[in-house]
Amino acid sequence: ELDWRTAVVHLVRRPMEQIVSAYNYHREEREYWVREPTRCNFCTENDWQAIFGRCGFACSYGELLGGVDLAAGLALEFRNQRLT
């Protein structure tokens, strides 16, 4: 049972470094979900639409990252990571 009186705060001092690191890691496709078509881990419905709309909803996240330039890849990673 959850105790709703407890608050958790997750601080990231250098969020851009986290995005770059996650982008590089996800391009390596080490996690199974990165290879599954149209799957992202922490994105909202709007984020999912924006991410996978780029490939017509016919690719995995890893394929998508591998097919875009660095700037687009970082923007996609931001959408994927913004709720973590």
Side-chain angles (χ1 to χ4, degrees), residues 64-83:
L64 184 57
L65 289 181
V68 298
D69 65 21
L70 176 63
L74 292 174
L76 290 167
E77 191 62 49
F78 171 79
R79 282 192 170 268
N80 183 57
Q81 292 287 320
R82 71 186 190 97
L83 298 179

Side-chain angles (χ1 to χ4, degrees), residues 10-61:
H10 179 180
L11 299 175
V12 178
R13 290 179 17 197
R14 297 183 183 208
M16 194 58 201
E17 288 180 9
Q18 181 181 357
I19 298 298
V20 171
S21 176
Y23 165 78
N24 288 325
Y25 179 75
H26 291 144
R27 279 190 49 125
E28 294 175 2
E29 297 186 16
R30 292 182 181 191
E31 297 184 31
Y32 71 92
W33 69 267
V34 177
R35 296 183 300 273
E36 292 181 3
T38 67
R39 175 145 182 213
C40 58
N41 250 1
F42 301 107
C43 59
T44 65
E45 177 68 23
N46 286 340
D47 292 331
W48 182 85
Q49 293 281 340
I51 290 169
F52 292 105
R54 291 186 63 112
C55 67
F57 306 97
C59 65
S60 70
Y61 188 63

Side-chain angles (χ1 to χ4, degrees), residues 2-12 83-84:
L2 293 175
D3 182 353
W4 295 104
R5 297 173 292 169
T6 302
V8 175
V9 177
H10 179 180
L11 299 175
V12 178
L83 298 179
T84 63

